[in-house]
Amino acid sequence: MLIWRIGVNAIPTKENLQVRLPHIDTSCPLCNASVESSIHIFFECPFARALWAAACWGLSVDPASIRTPTDITKLIMEPPASPILAQEQWTVSLNMALVIDEIWRSRNLKQFCDVNADVMSAKRNIHSRFLEIAKAFTPDMIKPNELANFRWNPPPLGWIKINVDAALNRYKSAFAVVARDQLGEVLFLWGKIHHACPPALAEAEALHWAVQLAIKERWQNVMLEGDAKNCIEALTSDDATPD
């Protein structure tokens, strides 16, 4: 319902309320820096930008690509491509919708109860609701034969598993990296286009990029998983030397 109200511009942002109440303060209650429009409160406000980065698997949404409230609804219903399995693509829309809902909830708590918005607390709320909803719908959404073709084993407690893959054609290659914890919760997902190269080299460079990302995030206990047998065996071989 919230996403529909945003799409038809019926949500009571201060910009919309000013049409009927011309003397109200139109500043955003979370940052007090701009007029509170739908685009500002959900994408431009510093709190919103921080929450997108923290709670939506590292997804960065460019506010310049959101010009109307309808664009917000379209973004949720047709999210950017991701390396997540086809049968799990619906979870991207779910997580994005929960981010939108949590931003509006935080805004209302500040506006009406003077409760300061907290990014980490909001992130925990989103993840808790995501796991609850996903658990309820997953058995009905995934067919038994699809489950049989894919089995993901979680890492030990306190570890992070990073799945890596590379795809290529004649003109370019592409890397996808997904990081999950022991509960299977997606912590981050990354993807990038790379120049054309031989398959083995593409897989090796994807693994190298995954290691660089793990170092950047300062993760101490990391497991790498991929389908490039030669590369994985080279890393786990007793003859492997740091380079």
Side-chain angles (χ1 to χ4, degrees), residues 43 49 52 59-63 65-66 75 96:
F43 294 100
R49 294 176 70 89
W52 277 108
L59 175 67
S60 177
V61 179
D62 182 9
S65 65
I66 310 294
L75 177 68
M96 294 178 73

Side-chain angles (χ1 to χ4, degrees), residues 207-226:
L207 283 166
H208 182 246
W209 184 47
V211 172
Q212 291 178 317
L213 292 171
I215 293 173
K216 181 180 178 181
E217 296 298 328
R218 298 183 180 180
W219 291 334
Q220 299 296 318
N221 302 315
V222 175
M223 300 174 65
L224 291 174
E225 186 175 72

